[in-house]
């Protein structure tokens, strides 16, 4: 995915952290990772698909100008659960939390501000 600002410009100095519970049958799974964005705002994680019993990956975004991290979640679009958070969001906002399959990979972009797009900002959680 990519981290972009409200104008669609890449955020080249962000750091993304993910956490997820181990999928069934993967007892040695670490479930945590950290990745800095590149010159295009890109980031990449290699992980296992979330377990259907806990089908979410928790995400923290650190970037210049943020006094504390932004917290969010990502779900795989094909297996998005009946989740209270997703159900509470309008469809356009819900879409900001869904990773989409692109071949053998999943893509999920993080937009830090809505800009002219309004609802395009990724949903962040107030923790």
């Amino acid at each position: 995915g990519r981290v972009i600002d409200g104008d669609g410009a890449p955020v080249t100095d962000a750091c993304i952290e993910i956490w997820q519970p181990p999928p069934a049958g993967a007892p040695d799974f670490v479930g945590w990772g950290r990745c800095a964005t590149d010159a295009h705002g890109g980031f990449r994680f290699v992980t296992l698909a979330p377990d259907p019993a806990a089908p979410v990956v928790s995400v923290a975004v650190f970037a210049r100008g943020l006094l504390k991290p932004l917290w969010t979640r990502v779900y795989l679009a094909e297996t998005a659960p009946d989740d209270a958070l997703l159900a509470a969001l309008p469809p356009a906002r819900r879409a900001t939390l869904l990773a989409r399959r692109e071949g053998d990979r999943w893509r999920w972009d993080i937009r830090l501000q809505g800009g002219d797009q309004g609802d395009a900002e990724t949903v962040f959680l107030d923790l």
Side-chain angles (χ1 to χ4, degrees):
R2 291 180 64 212
V3 179
I4 55 177
D5 67 15
D7 295 325
V11 177
T12 61
D13 61 353
C15 179
I16 310 301
E17 286 186 0
I18 64 169
W19 301 269
Q20 71 184 93
D28 296 330
F29 179 71
V30 174
W32 177 87
R34 179 183 286 165
C35 181
T37 55
D38 63 20
H40 306 286
F43 65 91
R44 180 174 181 235
F45 292 95
V46 177
T47 188
L48 300 175
D51 192 295
V56 63
V57 176
S58 297
V59 179
V61 180
F62 301 86
R64 180 176 22 98
L66 298 176
L67 296 177
K68 58 183 182 175
L70 299 173
W71 299 92
T72 190
R73 295 173 155 190
V74 61
Y75 302 84
L76 303 182
E78 292 177 5
T79 60
D82 292 330
D83 180 87
L85 174 63
L86 289 176
L89 297 171
R93 303 292 290 140
R94 187 178 311 134
T96 71
L97 300 181
L98 300 177
R100 306 275 180 211
R101 185 181 289 278
E102 290 184 353
D104 63 346
R105 299 178 183 196
W106 292 88
R107 181 178 183 95
W108 178 62
D109 293 335
I110 300 170
R111 189 177 196 106
L112 297 182
Q113 303 156 331
D116 293 337
Q117 307 291 311
D119 288 345
E121 179 181 10
T122 299
V123 171
F124 295 105
L125 308 173
D126 189 13
L127 301 178

